[in-house]
Amino acid sequence: MDNWLSNDIFSFAIALVLAGILIPQILLIAFRKKLFDEIDERKIHKGVVPRLGGIAFLPSILFSIAIIVGFNLKFGNAGVWSEMGDAIVPMYFMICAVLLMFLVGMADDLVGVRYMAKFLVQIMSALLIVASGMYIDDLYGFIWLWELPFWFGWIVTIFAVVYVVNAINLIDGIDGLASGLSTVALSFFAVLFYISGEHVYSMLASASAGTLLPFFYYNVFGNAKKQKKIFMGDTGALTTGMILVFCAIAMLHIDSASFTHDYNPFVMALSPLIIPCFDVVRVYLHRVRRHRNPFLPDKCHIHHKLLALGLNQRAALIVIMMWAAIFIMVNVALSSVVNPTALIATDVAIWTVVNIILSRRISSREKRLGQHLFD
């Protein structure tokens, strides 16, 4: 086992253990201080559930990475610092960007923050990523665009950061969905970063995936009546979304020659994020078509459709996660032989057709049961 693979495994394990220790303590404090998620007609859950699980995310990730790098430097592997190479500067800027997201998310979970304030912080975080030099400078043939002018790449990057962060936040509608999809995406990124030799980013993705697993357990299998259930809240969603979009942008800077096949970096960057990103667009169009404010929450996401068909939360979670994994595997496998524009257009077509089928089945079920099931 090489040193960097050991680093990835240990960063994953340390983050997993630390998050597993922190989350029960957060639960204890939340119930003592009565810090609960408010219940309204949109919420699927019943009973009081704290929404501060995301507070465990960033400390666990940073501690695991810092301790692994520290041990390497202290005990004879000083070369690890030089091997980090060009990744050091983007990582420092990324930490600053994620820290901003973490703080505004925590403030929102505790006392509430206006959307415009959150939006401005998201733009500030995106600017930090751009300032690091880690911006979208090449679309690798998607919509027939290749290298981008720096100013246009900055604009695209800012849009991408805000878009993905909000997509992860909005997909967090049933137990385990945001954390489950994010774990799948981060695991994929970790493997590809390791294979390509981008070991610092691989360690980041590994630690992030390790942090999400204990939360996933408490979120999906925790019993609210026994005070063992928790939500990630905006703290977790914004933090996770920022790390995911950073990993996606970093994927665009990978040398495709490091892989055995000529995989398209743009497809590899986008594919793990397809479900939340596509769902945001569909929900926006659905709200506009029904003359609703597209920025106000409702119950029209993909998971709401599956619930309206009669699936329970866990069944809906499994279906969506399997769908995400299939998108990733098929897209990456075909990216070396299929034009990226045609491939993503096919994904959009499949997504559209499946949603149309689901909508028709929901309508049929509503008529059969004589009740309204989907917003």
Side-chain angles (χ1 to χ4, degrees), residues 166-232:
N166 283 284
I168 298 299
N169 197 10
L170 292 172
I171 202 70
D172 186 25
I174 60 174
D175 294 343
L177 185 54
S179 57
L181 289 175
S182 297
T183 302
V184 171
L186 288 165
S187 300
F188 170 77
F189 283 137
V191 171
L192 288 189
F193 283 139
Y194 174 77
I195 293 173
S196 65
E198 297 290 346
H199 298 301
V200 179
Y201 301 143
S202 177
M203 197 158 52
L204 169 67
S206 298
S208 301
T211 298
L212 287 173
L213 283 182
F215 168 80
F216 183 87
Y217 172 79
Y218 280 97
N219 183 227
V220 176
F221 302 104
N223 190 327
K225 295 180 180 179
K226 296 181 179 180
Q227 301 184 353
K228 296 296 184 182
K229 191 177 188 66
I230 196 167
F231 298 145
M232 67 166 61

Side-chain angles (χ1 to χ4, degrees), residues 253-285:
H253 290 256
I254 284 182
D255 182 5
S256 57
S258 59
F259 298 104
T260 55
H261 293 79
D262 190 21
Y263 297 124
N264 186 286
F266 180 83
V267 175
M268 292 193 295
L270 176 62
S271 294
L273 306 174
I274 275 183
I275 295 291
C277 288
F278 281 14
D279 191 54
V280 166
V281 175
R282 187 197 61 77
V283 167
Y284 181 90
L285 295 176

Side-chain angles (χ1 to χ4, degrees), residues 188-374:
F188 170 77
F189 283 137
V191 171
L192 288 189
F193 283 139
Y194 174 77
I195 293 173
S196 65
E198 297 290 346
H199 298 301
V200 179
Y201 301 143
S202 177
M203 197 158 52
L204 169 67
S206 298
S208 301
T211 298
L212 287 173
L213 283 182
F215 168 80
F216 183 87
Y217 172 79
Y218 280 97
N219 183 227
V220 176
F221 302 104
N223 190 327
K225 295 180 180 179
K226 296 181 179 180
Q227 301 184 353
K228 296 296 184 182
K229 191 177 188 66
I230 196 167
F231 298 145
M232 67 166 61
D234 274 21
T235 311
L238 297 179
T239 300
T240 304
M242 191 70 227
I243 292 173
L244 280 170
V245 72
F246 177 82
C247 287
I249 295 170
M251 188 65 66
L252 294 173
H253 290 256
I254 284 182
D255 182 5
S256 57
S258 59
F259 298 104
T260 55
H261 293 79
D262 190 21
Y263 297 124
N264 186 286
F266 180 83
V267 175
M268 292 193 295
L270 176 62
S271 294
L273 306 174
I274 275 183
I275 295 291
C277 288
F278 281 14
D279 191 54
V280 166
V281 175
R282 187 197 61 77
V283 167
Y284 181 90
L285 295 176
H286 176 84
R287 291 169 181 170
V288 170
R289 185 166 56 87
R290 298 208 172 193
H291 307 289
R292 298 173 180 170
N293 187 330
F295 300 106
L296 291 180
D298 55 21
K299 296 175 67 175
C300 61
H301 289 275
I302 184 63
H303 47 274
H304 294 125
K305 281 193 169 187
L306 295 177
L307 295 175
L309 284 174
L311 275 67
N312 60 36
Q313 287 196 53
R314 290 186 187 176
L317 170 65
I318 292 171
V319 168
I320 296 173
M321 287 184 63
M322 288 179 61
W323 197 359
I326 291 171
F327 265 130
I328 294 172
M329 291 186 293
V330 173
N331 279 0
V332 172
L334 294 178
S335 70
S336 62
V337 294
V338 178
N339 177 275
T341 305
L343 188 55
I344 301 302
T346 302
D347 292 337
V348 172
I350 293 171
W351 176 262
T352 303
V353 169
V354 170
N355 273 278
I356 290 172
I357 293 172
L358 291 176
S359 295
R360 290 181 177 177
R361 291 190 175 181
I362 291 170
S363 296
S364 298
R365 190 165 186 259
E366 286 177 335
K367 291 177 181 178
R368 187 170 66 253
L369 298 177
Q371 64 183 90
H372 184 68
L373 300 172
F374 182 68

